[in-house]
Amino acid sequence: MIDDSRIAALRQRVAALMPQAKTDLTQLVSFKSVADSRQFPLEECDRTAQWVADAFAGAGLTKVGLHETPDGSKAVIASRPAPNGAPTVLLYSHYDVQPPLDDDAWRTPVWELTEKDGRWYGRGSADCKGNIVMHLTALRALGADLPLGVTLVAEGSEEQGTGGLEQFVEANPELLRADAILIGDCGNFAIGVPTLTETLRGSVNVVVTIETLAGPMHSGMFGGPAPDALAALVHLLASLRDEHGNTTVAGLPNDQRWTGVQYSEDQFRADAGVLGGVELIGDGTVADMLWARPALTVIGIDAPKVVGSAVAIQPAARARLNLRIPPGTDPDQALELLTAHLRAHTPWRAKITVETESTGAPFRSASGGPARTAMEAALTASYGRATTTQGQGGSIPLCNVFADTYPHAEIMLLGVEEPKCLIHAPNESVDPSEIEHMALAEALFLSTYAEHVR
C-alpha cells in the first residue's frame, strides 16, 4: 500500500502540471517527425530530438545527449545517477510518428494539437509523444525528490522498423543498464482501466510469387485450360484460413487460450469499426484470437487494377503476407512452417517463390518481481481500481533486445494509448485524463520502487 498522503500530494502536483503537459504536447505534435526522408525532411526529427533532450534536462536529468544510431537516427539519452545502493529505472518512448496517411480523412489539423469533445487530436498525440509527456510530467511532479536513478531513452525511427536503437543497445549495453524498464509505447485496455501489457506477438513477413505462363494470354482464346496465376494465388491464400476464419498454417498450433482480461465482442466491434452484420472470425474469444493465437493477414497483392484491366489470363501474381505469432512460438520455426504450407498448397504445380522479408520474436514480460509489485500498487492508487493485464497484437522488437541484454531487469509495458486513440490512423487522439493518471502512476512508482528492493 502507498501512503495516502503521498498519493494526495503527487496527485495535486500532477494535476497542476496538466496545462504544461498540454503545452508540451502541442509543441511535440507540431514537429513533423516522420523518419522517412521521402515524405518529410529529416530535420524535423532532429528538431524533435533536441526539444526532447532540452525538456528532460529541464526536468532534472543531468547527463543529456543525442546519440546517432546505426540507421542514422538520433536517440535522446538523459540520465540521473542512482544514490548508493538504489536501483535505476529506464524510461523508454519514441518521438518519431507515422505519416498522416490521408490528410483529407482528418477532421482536425494533422500537426496541430486540437481539443475536441474532451480529447486532444493530432498525429503522435498518443503514439508516442503522449507517452513522452507522461514521462516528462512524472519527473516534473517529483522534482528533486528522486530516491533512485533514472535514465530516459527516446528513439527516432521506431515506426520505420529499421532497428537503430536495437543495434545501439547491443553495441552500448552499459549506457542503458537498469533494474526496471518501463516501455512507454502501450496503454490501457480502456479509458480508466489500469493495464499492464504482458505479451506481444512476434511476426513473420514473406512475399510469395506465383508464375504459370510466359506472358499474359487472351482469356477468350486460352481461358479454361491455361493456368491463371492470379486464380492460383487466390486458391493458395484461401488455404491459410478455414471456414471459421481461423489461421491454418500446417503444423502451427491455433487453439491457444488467453487467460487475462477478456475483450467483449461488442467493444471490439466498436473499436475495430466492424460493419453492421459482418461476423467476427475465429472460433476463440476475441482475446484468444488477438493475443494467444497466430493470425495471418494478406497485407498486399500485386494484380491488375480493375480500371484499365484487359481480358487476359495473368502469368504471374504475388502477395505480401504478415503472420503474427503469440509467445511460445519460435519465429524461425513459424517461417519454416509457413513456407512449407505455401509450397504444399500451391495448385496446378505452379511455380512458387517465397521470399523472407523479416522475422521478429514474440515477447512475454515476467511478473511477481519488486518492480511489478510497486507498479501495480501505483496504478491501482492512481486509478482507484485494480490493475489488469492484456496482450498486444503488435510487435516491439526492442523488448527482446532489452530482455537479452539485461536479463535481470523487469520489463513492463504501459502508457497513455487505448483503443479510442486510433494510433497509426487518421484522427489520432489522446484522452488527457490518461496522461494525468499514467503520469501520476509513474511518479508514484518512481517514488516507491526503491522501498521494494531493500
Side-chain angles (χ1 to χ4, degrees), residues 206-209 236 335 338-340 342-343 352-356:
V206 301
V207 174
V208 56
T209 303
L236 174 59
L335 173 62
L338 175 60
T339 301
L342 292 169
R343 296 188 184 284
I352 178 173
T353 304
V354 182
E355 303 169 72
T356 303

Side-chain angles (χ1 to χ4, degrees), residues 97 128 133 190 192 196 307:
V97 298
C128 204
V133 172
L196 289 169
V307 177

Side-chain angles (χ1 to χ4, degrees), residues 148-170:
L148 40 60
V150 171
T151 301
L152 176 283
V153 59
E155 66 173 310
S157 58
E158 192 275 342
E159 297 291 9
Q160 297 302 312
T162 50
L165 187 60
E166 289 98 293
Q167 297 171 59
F168 182 86
V169 170
E170 291 171 337

